[in-house]
C-alpha cells in the first residue's frame, strides 16, 4: 500500500513513457516541416540518421529530467493534492479534494508495453486536465483513484472490500458489431474535414518549399489518358472508401471493449484498444446530457450519448472543448443510462419554436465563402457560375429549412429539452437547477418582430436557443431567474 502522504515519484518506466510522448508530439506538430527536410536531404541519408540520433538522445535526457523533478503527495490534514513539476521553471500545483471533478485511468499502447497507467485528475473550472501523472503501476493508480474519489465525495477513506467490488454491475457491454455500425454511420463531415485539412496542409507546405511533386508534363499526360469525368468519379470513390476506413479506425480503436459499470458514486466507463481509458461519470456533475441518432442509427437501434460535466471541459473561448461521447450504445441501454443520471423525465408542457429567419441566417453563414469563391474564380464561365451558385443556394436553403422543422425547445417541470439537427438528430436535456445565468438577447432589427435568442450558462458550457418568440420565452426566463436566486443547489 503506497504512502501518499510522502512525496511519490512515478514508476521508473515513466522515463520511457515521457520519451515516447515527447517524441511523438513533436513529430506530429512538425510533420510537414520534417517532410520538407526529408525531401531536400533524401540524397544525404547519413545526415538524416545523425539528426535522428541527436534528437532521440536530447528527448531521452529531457524525459529523465522530467521524471526526476516530478513528485506528488496527499496532505490529509489540509485535504489537498500537491504536485511539483518543472526542470528550470518550477511549478507547484495544489488541488483541494472537494474541487476534484473526476479521476480517470488511461493506458495507451506504450503504457501497456511498460505495464503502467496514466492518472488524469480534472477539477471544476479548469480548461484542461489539472494534473496528469504519466506513469505509475496499476496498484498505485487504482489506490490513488480510489482515495481521491472517496475524499472528493466527502466520505471517509476506507478500503473497498472484495464483496463490494463484486457487486458492481456491468449494465452495458458494447459489442464489436455495434461499434462497427457506429463507425460506418457517423462523423462523415468531421472526418471529411480532417482529410481535406491534412491534404491542404501537405500541398501548401510543398508549394511554399518550391518542391514539384508532379510536373506539368505529367499532368498533361494524365489528362490525355483519363477522361475528367471518370477521374472525378474515381477520386470520389477513393475519398468515400478513405472516409469509411478512417471513421472505422477512429471509432473502433478508441471505443473497443466499451463497458459501463454502475458504482456507488456513478457510472464507470472503460474502453480503448491501444489506449485503455477509465472514466467515472457522477450524476451530480452532469450539466447537460445529449442523445444523438441519425436515420441509419435509428434503423440499427444504436445511438451516441454525450455528457457535459461541470468544469474541466471548457475551451479557451468558453465553448465545450471535449464533452464525453460514447457511440454504439443500444437505444434501450441509452434510456437506462439517461434514467440513472437524470431520473424520470416529465413530459413537456410547452413547445417553443424558432423563426424562419434562423434558417436564412444559417444558410448565409454557410454560403458566403463558397459563393465568393465561385464568383471570383476566373476559370469558371458565367453560365457554370450561375448554375453552381443556384444549386448551392437551393440545397443549403432546403437543408436548413428542413432542419428548422425539428428545431424546438420543450419546457417541462424542472427540465429543458432542445431538439436539433436534420440527419444527425439530437436531444439535449438540461436540468433547470443546473443554470448559472440566463441571458435573453434581442438585436435592434428584431425588436418589431418580437424575436430574441436565449443563452443559458451552466458549469459545463452554454445552452442556446436561437430566434424564438421573445414574449413567450420571457415568461419562463423570469421563473428560471427566480429559481436560481431563491435556491442554492449543488450544481457541481
Amino acid at each position: 500500500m503506497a504512502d501518499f502522504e510522502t512525496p511519490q515519484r512515478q514508476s521508473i518506466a515513466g522515463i520511457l513513457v515521457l520519451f515516447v510522448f515527447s517524441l511523438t508530439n513533436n513529430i506530429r506538430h512538425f510533420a510537414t516541416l520534417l517532410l520538407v527536410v526529408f525531401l531536400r536531404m533524401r540524397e544525404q541519408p547519413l545526415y538524416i540518421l545523425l539528426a535522428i540520433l541527436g534528437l532521440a538522445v536530447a528527448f531521452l535526457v529531457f524525459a529523465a529530467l522530467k521524471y526526476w523533478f516530478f513528485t506528488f503527495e496527499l496532505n490529509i490534514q489540509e485535504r489537498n493534492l500537491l504536485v511539483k513539476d518543472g526542470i528550470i521553471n518550477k511549478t507547484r500545483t495544489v488541488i483541494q479534494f472537494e474541487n476534484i471533478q473526476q479521476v480517470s485511468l488511461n493506458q495507451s499502447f506504450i503504457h501497456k508495453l511498460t505495464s503502467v497507467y496514466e492518472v488524469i485528475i480534472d477539477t471544476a473550472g479548469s480548461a484542461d486536465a489539472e494534473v496528469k501523472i504519466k506513469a505509475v503501476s496499476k496498484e498505485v493508480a487504482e489506490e490513488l483513484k480510489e482515495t481521491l474519489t472517496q475524499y472528493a465525495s466527502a466520505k471517509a477513506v476506507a478500503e473497498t472490500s472484495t464483496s463490494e467490488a463484486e457487486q458492481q454491475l456491468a449494465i452495458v457491454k458494447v459489442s464489436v458489431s455495434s461499434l462497427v455500425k457506429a463507425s460506418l454511420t457517423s462523423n462523415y463531415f468531421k472526418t471529411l474535414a480532417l482529410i481535406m485539412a491534412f491534404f491542404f496542409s501537405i500541398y501548401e507546405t510543398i508549394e511554399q518549399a518550391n518542391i514539384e511533386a508532379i510536373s506539368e508534363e505529367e499532368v498533361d499526360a494524365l489528362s490525355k489518358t483519363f477522361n475528367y469525368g471518370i477521374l472525378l468519379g474515381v477520386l470520389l470513390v477513393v475519398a468515400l472508401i478513405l472516409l469509411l476506413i478512417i471513421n472505422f479506425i477512429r471509432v473502433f480503436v478508441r471505443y473497443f471493449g466499451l463497458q459501463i459499470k454502475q458504482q456507488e458514486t456513478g457510472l464507470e466507463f472503460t474502453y480503448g484498444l491501444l489506449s485503455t481509458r477509465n472514466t467515472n461519470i457522477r450524476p451530480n456533475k452532469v450539466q447537460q446530457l445529449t442523445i444523438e441518432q441519425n436515420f441509419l442509427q435509428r434503423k440499427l437501434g444504436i445511438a451516441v450519448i454525450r455528457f457535459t460535466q461541470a468544469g474541466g471541459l471548457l475551451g479557451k473561448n468558453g465553448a465545450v472543448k471535449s464533452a464525453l461521447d460514447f457511440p454504439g450504445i443500444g437505444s434501450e441501454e441509452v434510456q437506462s443510462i439517461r434514467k440513472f443520471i437524470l431520473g424520470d423525465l416529465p413530459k413537456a408542457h410547452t413547445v417553443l419554436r424558432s423563426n424562419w429567419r434562423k434558417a436564412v441566417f444559417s444558410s448565409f453563414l454557410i454560403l458566403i465563402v463558397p459563393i465568393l469563391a465561385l464568383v471570383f474564380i476566373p476559370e469558371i464561365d458565367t453560365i457554370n457560375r450561375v448554375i453552381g451558385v443556384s444549386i448551392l443556394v437551393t440545397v443549403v436553403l432546403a437543408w436548413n429549412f428542413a432542419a428548422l422543422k425539428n428545431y424546438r425547445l420543450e419546457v417541462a417541470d424542472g427540465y429543458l429539452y432542445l431538439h436539433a439537427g436534420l440527419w444527425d438528430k439530437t436531444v439535449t436535456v438540461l436540468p433547470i437547477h443546473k443554470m448559472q445565468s440566463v441571458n435573453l438577447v434581442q438585436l435592434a432589427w428584431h425588436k418589431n418582430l418580437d424575436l430574441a435568442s436565449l443563452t443559458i450558462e451552466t458549469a459545463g458550457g452554454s445552452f442556446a436557443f436561437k430566434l424564438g418568440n421573445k414574449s413567450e420565452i420571457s415568461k419562463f426566463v423570469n421563473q428560471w431567474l427566480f429559481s436560481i436566486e431563491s435556491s442554492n443547489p449543488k450544481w457541481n
Side-chain angles (χ1 to χ4, degrees):
M1 184 174 181
D3 180 13
F4 294 123
E5 294 190 62
T6 60
Q8 299 286 312
R9 281 196 173 87
Q10 301 174 90
S11 169
I12 192 68
I15 297 176
L16 179 59
V17 172
L18 291 170
F19 166 74
V20 172
F21 274 98
S22 179
L23 186 63
T24 54
N25 285 338
N26 279 278
I27 290 175
R28 185 166 57 249
H29 290 153
F30 300 105
T32 53
L33 178 61
L34 292 172
L35 176 63
V36 171
V37 172
F38 175 78
L39 291 173
R40 286 188 176 278
M41 300 180 63
R42 60 183 180 272
E43 296 180 357
Q44 298 174 314
L46 179 61
Y47 289 117
I48 294 176
L49 180 61
L50 291 175
I52 292 173
L53 290 175
L55 288 173
V57 171
F59 283 126
L60 186 60
V61 172
F62 177 77
L65 292 174
K66 284 280 292 181
Y67 161 81
W68 183 259
F69 288 104
F70 184 96
T71 61
F72 62 95
E73 61 183 288
L74 302 183
N75 189 323
I76 305 301
Q77 291 183 343
E78 297 184 7
R79 294 182 57 79
N80 63 45
L81 167 67
L82 172 62
V83 178
K84 295 180 181 179
D85 192 13
I87 301 172
I88 299 175
N89 295 323
K90 306 289 185 180
T91 61
R92 186 175 183 272
T93 304
V94 179
I95 301 176
Q96 298 298 323
F97 292 150
E98 58 267 22
N99 291 335
I100 293 177
Q101 161 74 19
Q102 68 176 20
V103 183
S104 304
L105 303 184
N106 290 348
Q107 195 180 36
S108 67
F109 181 69
I110 186 62
H111 284 103
K112 290 181 179 180
L113 289 179
T114 53
S115 301
V116 293
Y117 283 76
E118 178 184 31
V119 181
I120 299 178
I121 302 165
D122 289 320
T123 64
S126 64
D128 297 300
E130 190 77 11
V131 167
K132 292 183 179 181
I133 302 174
K134 283 290 185 181
V136 291
S137 66
K138 180 181 180 181
E139 294 74 18
V140 171
E142 291 180 344
E143 188 179 342
L144 181 60
K145 178 185 177 180
E146 181 184 355
T147 303
L148 290 174
T149 301
Q150 287 176 334
Y151 278 117
S153 303
K155 296 180 180 180
V157 178
E159 294 188 17
T160 304
S161 65
T162 304
S163 60
E164 288 174 334
E166 292 174 349
Q167 291 174 4
Q168 296 176 1
L169 174 65
I171 62 169
V172 176
K173 286 186 178 180
V174 178
S175 65
V176 172
S177 61
S178 294
L179 286 179
V180 173
K181 293 175 186 176
S183 67
L184 298 178
T185 59
S186 61
N187 293 327
Y188 299 128
F189 297 113
K190 184 186 295 184
T191 304
L192 184 61
L194 289 173
I195 294 172
M196 291 177 64
F198 173 76
F199 282 110
F200 275 123
S201 174
I202 296 295
Y203 175 78
E204 191 172 322
T205 302
I206 293 175
E207 280 283 308
Q208 291 176 354
N210 294 320
I211 297 174
E212 290 190 3
I214 183 170
S215 65
E216 292 184 7
E217 291 78 9
E218 291 172 319
V219 173
D220 292 336
L222 190 64
S223 64
K224 292 176 182 178
T225 305
F226 296 98
N227 179 276
Y228 278 118
I230 296 175
L231 188 60
L232 181 60
V234 171
L235 289 175
L236 288 175
V237 171
V238 171
L240 178 61
I241 294 173
L242 188 61
L243 185 148
L244 292 175
I245 291 174
I246 293 175
N247 252 4
F248 172 76
I249 293 173
R250 287 180 61 197
V251 174
F252 188 80
V253 172
R254 182 175 183 182
Y255 294 103
F256 178 80
L258 175 57
Q259 181 173 284
I260 308 169
K261 292 182 179 180
Q262 180 178 332
Q263 295 186 324
E264 185 179 357
T265 57
L267 296 177
E268 181 184 70
F269 291 74
T270 305
Y271 55 99
L273 180 60
L274 300 179
S275 177
T276 304
R277 300 172 183 268
N278 181 285
T279 301
N280 188 268
I281 303 292
R282 285 187 278 171
N284 67 313
K285 297 289 186 180
V286 175
Q287 304 298 297
Q288 301 174 40
L289 187 147
T290 301
I291 298 172
E292 179 180 314
Q293 268 188 323
N294 58 39
F295 175 78
L296 295 176
Q297 290 170 341
R298 284 194 295 276
K299 294 296 183 181
L300 295 171
I302 59 174
V304 178
I305 190 165
R306 179 178 303 116
F307 302 97
T308 304
Q309 299 185 93
L313 297 173
L314 299 182
K316 294 179 180 179
N317 298 321
V320 175
K321 183 178 181 181
S322 57
L324 297 173
D325 289 27
F326 298 100
I329 302 176
S331 300
E332 293 184 4
E333 286 80 7
V334 165
Q335 296 306 319
S336 298
I337 294 171
R338 190 266 308 155
K339 186 175 181 180
F340 178 85
I341 298 294
L342 299 174
D344 292 317
L345 297 179
K347 290 185 178 181
H349 55 71
T350 305
V351 178
L352 302 174
R353 294 195 175 272
S354 182
N355 187 269
W356 61 268
R357 289 170 176 80
K358 178 186 180 298
V360 174
F361 183 68
S362 298
S363 300
F364 171 77
L365 293 178
I366 295 171
L367 290 169
I368 183 66
V369 173
I371 286 179
L372 288 175
L374 285 172
V375 169
F376 289 105
I377 293 177
E379 289 80 5
I380 302 177
D381 58 53
T382 303
I383 295 177
N384 287 329
R385 188 175 289 134
V386 171
I387 293 174
V389 170
S390 300
I391 293 174
L392 194 59
V393 170
T394 302
V395 171
V396 172
L397 281 174
W399 182 278
N400 282 321
F401 271 97
L404 186 66
K405 292 182 179 180
N406 183 53
Y407 186 72
R408 64 190 184 274
L409 179 64
E410 297 179 347
V411 184
D413 294 334
Y415 295 90
L416 297 181
Y417 313 135
L418 179 64
H419 296 254
L422 178 58
W423 175 254
D424 291 310
K425 292 188 176 181
T426 63
V427 181
T428 301
V429 182
L430 171 67
I432 289 176
H433 72 269
K434 302 288 186 178
M435 297 179 181
Q436 290 185 312
S437 66
V438 182
N439 301 309
L440 192 59
V441 179
Q442 184 179 56
L443 300 176
W445 51 87
H446 288 154
K447 184 170 289 187
N448 292 334
L449 300 170
D450 196 28
L451 298 178
S453 294
L454 173 69
T455 302
I456 298 170
E457 298 295 339
T458 72
S462 300
F463 178 98
F465 178 68
K466 303 294 184 182
L467 294 182
N469 184 279
K470 183 176 183 294
S471 299
E472 292 181 358
I473 299 174
S474 296
K475 299 175 184 176
F476 296 105
V477 168
N478 294 330
Q479 296 176 16
W480 300 333
L481 289 173
F482 176 77
S483 175
I484 293 172
E485 294 174 358
S486 60
S487 63
N488 185 30
K490 294 182 179 180
W491 49 265
N492 63 349

